[in-house]
Amino acid sequence: MKKEERELLELQCDKYINKFIFESKNFIEYACFQYGKCHTMTTGSVDLRYIWDFQYFVFTKSAKTLISIRCLLKQKNMEDTLILLRSMFEGYLASRFIDENYESQLLNDFIFIPQLIAHRKVIYQNNEARDRYTNDLLEYIQREPSKLKLGKDKAYFTDFYAYLCDYAHCNYSILECYLDEKNMFTCTKETNSYLIRVLVLFVFTKIFESIVTVEGEDFLDTNTEKTCYKLVKDINNFLYKQLDFFSNYSSDVNPELNKHMQSMFKNMKKSLKEEIGSLHKDFLK
């Protein structure tokens, strides 16, 4: 790909990121509310409204992360972008999991007991949660991200999550990102700026589509609803083409690496066809 073409595509990615941030901040203001907590405070009971609380939490956290990612992209700190992207991706997996597999125990696993652990009212050690004061064993499962993947996310998860973890951990395999052309250490090298923008859009689109563009969501007005649906449709079309390009991934590192990266991008592309919200995907061929 020519430099001029890549720069235009990066500019388009940045425009979509800006649109996502604008619509997300508005959505948080007019739609995101703790319905579950409010219901408990007024009735004393706990029900599935807490799913909405959790999803709105994930969405707000992810939108704020996207704002931070935009700053990192401007600074050309691509590696740090991937660190934040892993957190965002984990949020998407958890949000989708609790929504599609709801049972009351999941509220303890994802909402109530994690708060008690953070407040030091519950001790979590050796895969067991115990009340700090009574030492009673509590029913609680702390799930790894690999246990949360659903649907077509399963096909690309392993390679994609491993890729993100390489940057989130102190992994020497990414040394090249911090060396200049003279093999000297540098903080100014910009690596994979186009690819990383596409990955950012891919993850946040999943979040936006599964939480915002959902039938029954309380949009500000009809025009706002149409704008959100059109945004998701446009970005899905854009990503479909970009992931098709990356599915021909090739490097001189190792044929096995090429094989895994090509498979990952192909499966990410296929996953775009999955309807995780209320937007019909018949436009993706």
Side-chain angles (χ1 to χ4, degrees):
M1 179 182 292
K2 295 181 179 179
K3 179 182 178 182
E4 294 78 10
E5 183 182 358
R6 177 178 58 79
E7 289 177 345
L8 285 174
L9 287 170
E10 288 182 7
L11 181 60
Q12 183 61 63
C13 287
D14 290 341
K15 288 180 178 179
Y16 280 138
I17 289 172
N18 288 337
K19 288 182 179 180
F20 261 148
I21 290 173
F22 178 80
E23 294 300 336
S24 296
K25 290 171 74 173
N26 286 338
F27 181 78
I28 291 165
E29 291 295 326
Y30 68 72
C32 295
F33 181 76
Q34 294 187 80
Y35 291 98
K37 183 176 180 179
C38 184
H39 177 74
T40 298
M41 291 175 66
T42 55
T43 67
S45 62
V46 173
D47 64 10
L48 56 75
R49 289 178 179 85
Y50 273 97
I51 294 178
W52 307 340
D53 293 21
F54 186 78
Q55 289 194 305
Y56 288 151
F57 156 70
V58 168
F59 185 78
T60 304
K61 181 177 183 295
S62 298
K64 192 169 184 178
T65 299
L66 186 61
I67 295 171
S68 298
I69 283 176
R70 180 172 63 178
C71 294
L72 289 171
L73 292 175
K74 289 180 179 179
Q75 293 293 324
K76 299 182 179 181
N77 290 355
M78 300 301 151
E79 299 79 22
D80 297 311
T81 295
L82 292 174
I83 295 172
L84 293 184
L85 191 60
R86 188 183 83 151
S87 174
M88 187 188 292
F89 183 57
E90 290 173 346
Y92 158 67
L93 295 173
S95 172
R96 182 177 178 183
F97 185 88
I98 194 174
D99 181 48
E100 296 187 17
N101 293 276
Y102 173 73
E103 56 182 47
S104 59
Q105 177 56 35
L106 289 181
L107 299 182
N108 281 331
D109 295 345
F110 284 88
I111 299 175
F112 302 132
I113 292 184
Q115 292 182 83
L116 295 175
I117 293 173
H119 297 160
R120 299 298 188 266
K121 295 179 180 180
V122 167
I123 301 172
Y124 184 72
Q125 290 180 334
N126 302 320
N127 295 320
E128 288 185 350
R130 291 184 178 274
D131 186 291
R132 176 177 291 275
Y133 306 104
T134 66
N135 202 38
D136 290 340
L137 182 64
L138 306 176
E139 188 175 351
Y140 171 67
I141 300 175
Q142 190 177 79
R143 294 172 176 80
E144 295 294 324
S146 62
K147 303 298 183 181
L148 303 176
K149 60 185 185 294
L150 298 172
K152 293 186 180 299
D153 296 331
K154 295 177 181 179
Y156 68 81
F157 172 85
T158 301
D159 287 321
F160 183 51
Y161 195 68
Y163 179 78
L164 295 177
C165 287
D166 284 345
Y167 293 88
H169 300 153
C170 189
N171 193 319
Y172 203 70
S173 68
I174 63 171
L175 171 67
E176 287 297 321
C177 297
Y178 304 95
L179 299 178
D180 62 18
E181 63 277 3
K182 296 180 181 179
N183 233 25
M184 300 297 290
F185 284 102
T186 178
C187 288
T188 61
K189 187 175 183 179
E190 183 180 14
T191 308
N192 297 325
S193 57
Y194 167 43
L195 167 61
I196 290 172
R197 282 172 165 84
V198 169
L199 296 180
V200 168
L201 281 176
F202 176 80
V203 174
F204 196 80
T205 298
K206 295 277 187 181
I207 294 170
F208 197 95
E209 182 179 343
S210 62
I211 296 177
V212 178
T213 52
V214 177
E215 185 177 356
E217 190 52 77
D218 189 20
F219 287 97
L220 189 62
D221 50 46
T222 302
N223 185 57
T224 300
E225 181 177 8
K226 289 180 179 178
T227 299
C228 289
Y229 273 81
K230 183 179 184 304
L231 178 59
V232 172
K233 182 178 180 179
D234 290 346
I235 296 180
N236 265 281
N237 272 318
F238 177 77
L239 287 172
Y240 201 71
K241 295 175 183 177
Q242 309 319 309
L243 290 172
D244 184 64
F245 169 78
F246 283 113
S247 65
N248 296 310
Y249 181 93
S250 179
S251 75
D252 56 5
V253 176
N254 182 1
E256 189 65 23
L257 173 64
N258 294 339
K259 176 183 175 182
H260 277 266
M261 294 299 283
Q262 289 169 8
S263 175
M264 180 184 82
F265 289 124
K266 287 176 182 177
N267 287 322
M268 291 172 78
K269 176 186 172 183
K270 290 178 182 178
S271 77
L272 293 176
K273 292 184 177 182
E274 187 175 23
E275 296 179 0
I276 57 176
S278 298
L279 177 68
H280 297 301
K281 298 291 191 70
D282 53 351
F283 58 89
L284 292 178
K285 304 298 183 182

